[in-house]
């Protein structure tokens, strides 16, 4: 067995998942959507580019690799729109980030919810797993079930209240987790921007029947019920993201408002947390992480800009965080992916690899080969 398989996930040097799409892939996707490139030809280009970035992740020393989300346009919608009971559509507006509005595309509820046994992500994972061929751990990323609780998505015709909606979402995601496990997934990351909404002090929850604390408790319940029966050898982590679109962000605020509930009680194996700028707040909310509980992946290296962080400053921040969570419970990564959508952040592919190599080097200097 590869030495990587004996290490504990999350790994000391991690990355959130998405990688910059190369121009060849962007061009091919555009031609395929325009009908000037066949689906099979497009799939071949996807696979070739995906294979290239798998080799690069292994080359720079990462223990864990992803497909870079190369087969997706969006980090979340491509998964959600293939669940039964949802469809993708073009709304009047995109998402509003700082100083920019995204390309308009979203998902909405169109019927009763269940997991689609023919979900394309399953075959995509099998292809990725074959490419990696046991040389590293393969991480599958999907959006959190909590992403579906954004108010604009729910259809009251089918779900008049959050309770009936939550029951079906939980059931669909439980089936999804098992389906991924059955095709070989042993490391699953759920990406959760909704939790960043709930911890943002600038967003009010004074209107309607559900207050902030109600929604935080519901978010906890949904994830815990989804994963309560997971196989013992399946690692599941949560990435709490404040938004990542063309090097901009959507939300600010520390994790303080959700930490007493989510950090203390969500039964995942690790949290990926954004700590790359002043919007992140301090490390004090980490005090709610149980001792010998989930690993904390500190997102101290930004994926938004090309400049490399000073190694000693990163090490100092890791030490600062270790006042709240033991060093052996900590890991390091960029705060988010490099391309949460096909548009990508404002840096080059070389910049991206330099950032990830930087993470690997710092992790080796801090933790050795642990």
């Amino acid at each position: 067995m590869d030495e990587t398989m004996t290490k504990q996930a999350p790994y000391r040097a991690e990355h959130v998942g998405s990688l910059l799409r190369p121009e060849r892939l962007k061009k091919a996707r555009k031609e395929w959507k325009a009908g000037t490139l066949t689906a099979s030809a497009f799939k071949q280009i996807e696979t070739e580019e995906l294979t290239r970035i798998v080799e690069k992740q292994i080359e720079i020393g990462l223990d864990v690799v992803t497909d870079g989300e190369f087969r997706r346009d969006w980090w979340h919608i491509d998964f959600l729109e293939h669940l039964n009971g949802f469809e993708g559509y073009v709304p009047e507006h995109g998402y509003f980030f700082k100083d920019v509005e995204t390309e308009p595309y979203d998902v909405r509820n169109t019927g009763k919810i269940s997991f689609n046994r023919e979900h394309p992500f399953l075959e995509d994972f099998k292809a990725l797993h074959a490419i990696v061929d046991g040389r590293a751990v393969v991480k599958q990323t999907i959006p959190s079930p909590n992403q579906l609780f954004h108010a604009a998505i729910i259809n009251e015709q089918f779900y008049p209240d959050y309770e009936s909606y939550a029951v079906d979402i939980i059931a669909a995601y439980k089936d999804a987790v098992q389906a991924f496990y059955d095709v070989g997934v042993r490391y699953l990351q759920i990406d959760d921007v909704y939790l960043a909404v709930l911890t943002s002090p600038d967003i009010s929850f004074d209107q309607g029947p559900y207050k902030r604390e109600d929604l935080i408790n519901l978010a906890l319940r949904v994830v815990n019920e989804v994963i309560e029966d997971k196989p013992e050898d399946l690692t599941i982590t949560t990435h709490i993201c404040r938004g990542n679109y063309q090097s901009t962000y959507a939300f600010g605020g520390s994790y303080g408002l959700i930490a007493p509930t989510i950090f203390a009680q969500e039964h995942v194996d690790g949290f990926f947390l954004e700590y790359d700028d002043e919007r992140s707040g301090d490390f004090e909310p980490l005090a709610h992480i149980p001792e010998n509980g989930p690993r904390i992946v500190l997102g101290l290296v930004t994926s938004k800009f090309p400049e490399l962080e000073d190694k000693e400053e990163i090490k100092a921040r890791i030490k600062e965080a270790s006042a709240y969570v033991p060093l052996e419970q900590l890991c390091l990564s960029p705060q988010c992916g490099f391309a949460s959508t096909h548009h990508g952040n404002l840096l080059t592919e070389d910049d991206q690899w330099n950032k990830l190599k930087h993470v690997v080097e710092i992790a080796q200097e801090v933790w050795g080969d642990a």
Side-chain angles (χ1 to χ4, degrees):
M1 179 179 289
D2 187 289
E3 180 187 353
T4 299
M5 310 305 175
T6 66
K7 297 179 181 179
Q8 179 182 349
Y11 298 94
R12 298 302 187 190
E14 273 278 359
H15 67 120
V16 170
S18 66
L19 298 168
L20 294 168
R21 287 22 164 214
E23 288 305 316
R24 180 187 182 218
L25 182 58
K26 288 182 178 180
K27 180 174 180 290
R29 185 177 291 274
K30 186 176 181 180
E31 291 174 350
W32 168 63
K33 288 185 175 183
T36 58
L37 184 69
T38 66
S40 61
F42 174 53
K43 192 81 166 182
Q44 180 62 30
I45 291 171
E46 271 189 334
T47 300
E48 290 172 1
E49 291 298 325
L50 191 156
T51 300
R52 181 179 63 83
I53 58 104
V54 163
E55 299 302 326
K56 189 65 178 181
Q57 290 172 79
I58 294 171
E59 175 190 323
I60 65 174
L62 288 165
D63 289 326
V64 58
V65 302
T66 72
D67 64 0
E69 300 180 2
F70 272 25
R71 300 200 195 275
R72 311 182 206 181
D73 274 339
W74 302 80
W75 66 275
H76 58 320
I77 298 175
D78 297 68
F79 178 82
L80 298 174
E81 69 182 350
H82 284 102
L83 297 175
N84 297 327
F86 293 97
E87 69 174 7
Y89 76 107
V90 179
E92 184 176 349
H93 291 287
Y95 303 106
F96 292 97
F97 278 59
K98 180 174 173 58
D99 301 326
V100 67
E101 180 181 342
T102 72
E103 175 186 345
Y105 199 67
D106 207 343
V107 65
R108 60 189 173 193
N109 176 218
T110 58
K112 299 298 285 185
I113 299 164
S114 63
F115 181 66
N116 172 15
R117 299 291 177 177
E118 303 299 319
H119 200 293
F121 276 35
L122 299 174
E123 290 299 318
D124 289 346
F125 178 82
K126 288 162 69 174
L128 173 63
H129 195 263
I131 291 168
V132 177
D133 194 25
R135 295 173 294 156
V137 170
V138 185
K139 178 166 68 173
Q140 174 69 43
T141 65
I142 62 172
S144 169
N146 290 324
Q147 289 303 123
L148 293 169
F149 285 90
H150 290 288
I153 295 175
I154 305 169
N155 188 333
E156 292 183 356
Q157 176 184 347
F158 303 103
Y159 295 102
D161 54 65
Y162 272 25
E163 178 58 30
S164 58
Y165 189 62
V167 167
D168 282 1
I169 289 173
I170 290 166
Y173 262 79
K174 285 173 76 77
D175 288 344
V177 169
Q178 186 61 51
F180 278 118
Y181 184 83
D182 290 343
V183 296
V185 173
R186 295 298 180 269
Y187 187 1
L188 183 67
Q189 176 183 297
I190 56 176
D191 297 319
D192 204 324
V193 174
Y194 185 67
L195 287 177
V197 175
L198 295 178
T199 200
S200 175
D202 298 327
I203 298 177
S204 173
F205 294 90
D206 291 336
Q207 304 298 318
Y210 302 99
K211 306 306 181 188
R212 188 191 305 267
E213 197 60 36
D214 299 324
L215 296 173
I216 292 172
N217 287 329
L218 178 62
L220 174 72
R221 172 193 156 199
V222 166
V223 170
N224 278 350
E225 290 193 18
V226 165
I227 68 176
E228 64 183 354
D229 299 320
K230 79 175 183 68
E232 287 190 10
D233 60 339
L234 174 62
T235 295
I236 297 183
T237 60
T238 291
H239 168 230
I240 303 178
C241 174
R242 296 185 177 90
N244 185 44
Y245 182 82
Q246 294 185 315
S247 295
T248 62
Y249 63 88
F251 308 106
S254 82
Y255 295 110
L257 292 174
I258 62 170
T261 302
I262 303 299
F263 286 2
Q265 300 177 62
E266 188 172 283
H267 298 152
V268 290
D269 299 297
F271 287 100
F272 284 71
L273 303 177
E274 300 195 343
Y275 275 113
D276 62 323
D277 61 25
E278 67 281 352
R279 288 181 302 112
S280 307
D282 59 28
F283 293 127
E284 188 173 350
L286 297 181
H288 294 278
I289 297 291
E291 186 176 355
N292 299 316
R295 281 193 168 190
I296 302 304
V297 186
L298 299 170
L300 298 172
V301 173
T302 190
S303 67
K304 296 183 185 296
F305 306 108
E307 294 79 16
L308 291 180
E309 289 80 358
D310 181 271
K311 280 188 175 182
E312 296 310 312
E313 290 181 5
I314 296 297
K315 291 177 186 178
R317 296 202 70 198
I318 293 171
K319 183 177 180 180
E320 183 183 349
S322 71
Y324 300 96
V325 177
L327 182 63
E328 59 268 21
Q329 212 171 318
L330 298 175
C331 308
L332 178 67
S333 77
Q335 100 291 345
C336 196
F338 291 88
S340 298
T341 71
H342 64 89
H343 312 85
N345 284 345
L346 305 181
L347 65 174
T348 68
E349 189 170 322
D350 283 344
D351 294 332
Q352 166 187 271
W353 299 125
N354 288 338
K355 285 277 183 173
L356 290 173
K357 183 63 174 174
H358 204 49
V359 168
V360 170
E361 291 173 352
I362 295 171
Q364 288 174 341
E365 292 172 17
V366 172
W367 291 283
D369 294 328

